[in-house]
Amino acid sequence: MKKRGITLLLVLALLAGVLPAHAAEASGPKLAAITFDDGPGPYTNSLLDGLEQRGVAVTFFMLGCQAAQYPAVVKRAYEAGHQIASHTYSHPQLTQLGSKSVQKQLADTAAVLNQATGTRNTYMVRPPYGSVNAHVLSLLNAPAVLWTVDTLDWQSRNADAIYQHIVNDTKDGSIVLLHDIYATTVSGALRGIDALLAQGYELVTVSELLRRRGYDAAPGRKYSSAPGRVTLPGIAQPAIAADEREDGRYVTLTADAGTAIYYTLDGTAPTSQSAVYTGPFLLEKAGTVKAFAAYSLNGARSQVSELALEEPRLKAPVITLANESAVITANGDIHYTLDGTEPTAASECYTGPVPLPAGTIIRAAAMRPGYQDSPVSSLLHSERGNLFSDVLPTAAYYHAVDEAVSLGVLAAEGQAFFPERPVTRQELAEVLYRLDGRAAGLQILNGYEEDAAGLDAPVTREGLAAALFQIWGEAPDDSRPPTKLYGFADWMDIHIEAWDAMDWVVANGVLNGVSETVLAPRSAVTRGQLASILMRSQGFWAGAEALA
Ligand code: ZN
């Protein structure tokens, strides 16, 4: 018998070790609820100022008769995210009243609070003097809330004593009783709040304290504290995201499941009267989205999230060629130029197809009030009849690109040639194989660096020279003219393995310096540059192989 008792104790001890309550006490945040009775009064506004500075939400158990005198203060406290609760209308001892009178005390108070906040809420009740019994509880449509810590502020009227009570008596899960009708309470409470925050307490409303500790806060229940069992997380700030879709820019708000999100778009602080989020919405103008989340507006609110959004940008116009004319579509007014310059609002306005003979370029942008101008779209109808969206006739490589595409040496992707994109080793191997099947066996894909870069690594200028030299170059002999490489200030950058190749391409005018004195052997080759180099080396490859 005795032995069995010990075993049972041991089992209980082991169980206690794994209960969530134990874990929460050990590692979860310490929570406490600060509450104020008998107001609002002449000091409540300065208390609200102090709470706002500290970002702390509390619970006000208001008297109906006081709330009726200070409706603006009630509204302010509510919109600041404090919990509004009832302390009856005129502070009677409820246990000494009949049912009808109890209900009238509560209904009259709720009416005043609803009127002041512009809502229809149910309000937790703190019975005056803590005087409550089963009969009174049975008449409530919300929980009754008593307290853990009595600061005796009404008695001492001494800020230091109030502060000491708060600091010495508050424990995890405590509900702290104060009265915001004394100036001494306001200063003592704010100092006490600072001390609790410094000790790591999270100060929350009563409703939030019960929720986070897993209590259901049902009508007729009585709570005087919420010690650690589980501790649920606080209410997360909503996440605000904006994304461009086919028909415009959409704003998406996300927050904890079970919360409602209240938001504004004009930069003002969201309130209980603000729009409630129901799903992604179009925001076709500039605006600042501000939002908070709440399980119940009269419980606790998350911090406000904010995202400033510029005016949405119009999509780039789409330009196609039909019957030798440019046809442009866009979601706004279209302005265009035919001289290669960037279009502005002062440029020609598009009203219908614009003749675009070979050798001309049209550039267009869409504009519309309330939107940012679109990016500029271009369509170059080249001299050889090719269409390019990203080649300007002023570019050094224009004629070479036009020729290379017409010859099938290089290909555009639709109307895009990507002239500034670096050429990869894979891409160069394919181009050279098309020009000369022998290129398939070359070692052109190996760089000179030790990194053994892959097929998608960019080709350097000396790497390209080496490839061309391996296919079409001749072995150097004594009849070759003296090298021109020493004329470039950066000749020392040439890898020794690439020297003969560089010497050959420069001597034959296939590769020139990027300036009079700079050869830049290790810079990447762009597709525009590759077109120029290949067209200059046509004398070597033309006719070597039929182009695919
Ligand atoms: Zn009271």
Side-chain angles (χ1 to χ4, degrees):
M1 194 64 188
K2 193 179 175 190
K3 192 179 176 194
R4 196 170 156 199
I6 290 170
T7 309
L8 185 63
L9 278 177
L10 187 62
V11 169
L12 285 174
L14 286 171
L15 277 176
V18 297
L19 283 176
H22 194 84
E25 275 173 354
S27 62
K30 290 186 287 186
L31 302 181
I34 308 293
T35 69
F36 295 91
D37 287 11
D38 294 2
Y43 308 111
T44 308
N45 261 324
S46 72
L47 173 60
L48 289 170
D49 291 342
L51 294 171
E52 188 177 323
Q53 286 163 15
R54 291 160 175 81
V56 166
V58 303
T59 305
F60 289 97
F61 290 95
M62 294 180 171
L63 287 172
C65 62
Q66 290 296 111
Q69 287 182 52
Y70 296 93
V73 178
V74 180
K75 174 83 170 167
R76 181 186 169 191
Y78 181 66
E79 291 300 351
H82 302 294
Q83 183 183 349
I84 308 301
S86 170
H87 194 39
T88 75
Y89 198 87
S90 56
H91 214 273
Q93 198 156 342
L94 293 179
T95 50
Q96 295 185 352
L97 297 185
S99 301
K100 284 253 164 60
S101 301
V102 170
Q103 282 164 335
K104 184 169 165 48
Q105 282 283 331
L106 299 175
D108 288 354
T109 307
V112 170
L113 298 179
N114 279 339
Q115 173 78 29
T117 56
T119 54
R120 286 176 61 85
N121 282 313
T122 56
Y123 299 95
M124 290 187 184
V125 176
R126 174 166 285 159
Y129 318 103
S131 175
V132 70
N133 57 22
H135 177 244
V136 170
L137 286 174
S138 74
L139 298 171
L140 304 184
N141 64 355
V145 178
L146 303 185
W147 56 87
T148 327
V149 175
D150 188 349
T151 59
L152 299 173
D153 59 335
W154 56 276
Q155 204 172 53
S156 72
R157 310 281 180 96
N158 179 312
D160 286 337
I162 296 164
Y163 163 81
Q164 287 299 340
H165 270 296
I166 294 173
V167 173
N168 296 338
D169 303 347
T170 302
K171 302 203 165 40
D172 180 41
S174 287
I175 298 173
V176 180
L177 171 64
L178 293 143
H179 300 79
D180 55 321
I181 49 173
Y182 309 111
T184 45
T185 292
V186 172
S187 70
L190 291 175
R191 282 170 52 202
I193 284 170
D194 287 338
L196 293 180
L197 292 174
Q199 289 175 26
Y201 273 91
E202 266 187 73
L203 300 178
V204 294
T205 63
V206 170
S207 155
E208 186 67 353
L209 176 67
L210 297 178
R211 181 188 76 78
R212 291 185 62 183
R213 284 285 154 81
Y215 295 93
D216 63 2
R221 290 272 170 81
K222 188 176 77 174
Y223 297 98
S224 53
S225 68
R229 299 194 301 182
V230 294
T231 301
L232 302 174
I235 307 172
Q237 272 180 276
I240 308 174
D243 62 304
E244 295 287 345
R245 301 186 190 175
E246 265 311 303
D247 58 335
R249 182 177 60 193
Y250 279 79
V251 174
T252 304
L253 306 177
T254 45
D256 292 334
T259 60
I261 304 172
Y262 298 79
Y263 69 93
T264 59
L265 300 175
D266 59 2
T268 59
T271 70
S272 60
Q273 310 297 313
S274 299
V276 178
Y277 179 73
T278 55
F281 56 87
L282 264 175
L283 184 58
E284 287 285 78
K285 57 182 180 181
T288 297
V289 184
K290 291 190 177 182
F292 69 79
Y295 290 98
S296 155
L297 280 175
N298 190 31
R301 304 175 188 190
S302 74
Q303 299 289 310
V304 174
S305 302
E306 178 174 340
L307 180 67
L309 294 166
E310 294 186 322
E311 292 162 336
R313 183 178 290 280
L314 288 171
K315 285 195 169 34
V318 174
I319 314 177
T320 54
L321 189 71
N323 302 321
E324 298 292 298
S325 290
V327 177
I328 312 177
T329 54
N331 187 23
D333 295 336
I334 301 166
H335 294 270
Y336 70 92
T337 64
L338 291 168
D339 60 2
T341 59
E342 295 249 338
T344 67
S347 303
E348 201 75 35
C349 199
Y350 179 81
T351 53
V354 180
L356 194 69
T360 52
I361 186 171
I362 188 162
R363 305 189 75 196
M367 297 168 197
R368 188 170 158 187
Y371 292 80
Q372 297 184 58
D373 293 354
S374 76
V376 174
S377 294
S378 297
L379 187 65
L380 171 61
H381 187 195
S382 80
E383 278 161 14
R384 291 169 181 259
N386 295 309
L387 297 176
F388 297 113
S389 61
D390 54 2
V391 175
L392 294 180
T394 47
Y397 49 72
Y398 162 45
H399 292 289
V401 166
D402 198 18
E403 194 180 0
V405 170
S406 289
L407 291 172
V409 173
L410 291 171
E413 294 171 22
Q415 296 175 348
F417 182 78
F418 303 106
E420 305 300 337
R421 195 168 74 189
V423 177
T424 65
R425 294 178 184 175
Q426 168 93 39
E427 200 175 3
L428 179 62
E430 287 167 4
V431 169
L432 294 180
Y433 180 70
R434 253 182 274 143
L435 292 178
D436 188 317
R438 288 177 296 166
L442 294 180
Q443 297 273 307
I444 58 166
L445 305 180
N446 296 337
Y448 294 109
E449 312 294 344
E450 284 80 31
D451 61 3
L455 285 176
D456 53 356
V459 173
T460 60
R461 285 159 59 82
E462 64 179 6
L464 174 60
L468 300 178
F469 181 65
Q470 281 183 72
I471 308 174
W472 297 297
E474 311 103 36
D477 59 36
D478 293 343
S479 68
R480 190 173 54 172
T483 182
K484 292 180 180 172
L485 297 182
Y486 295 123
F488 295 97
D490 55 350
W491 63 268
M492 278 190 299
D493 290 345
I494 301 170
H495 280 93
I496 188 67
E497 299 91 335
W499 185 269
D500 287 340
M502 286 298 276
D503 191 17
W504 179 78
V505 291
V506 170
N508 286 282
V510 170
L511 193 73
N512 302 320
V514 296
S515 73
E516 289 282 310
T517 55
V518 177
L519 201 46
R522 299 191 191 184
S523 355
V525 178
T526 64
R527 283 169 53 84
Q529 291 164 352
L530 178 63
S532 301
I533 293 164
L534 289 177
M535 291 308 102
R536 283 201 294 269
S537 46
Q538 254 187 89
F540 298 103
W541 55 262
E545 290 283 328
L547 290 171

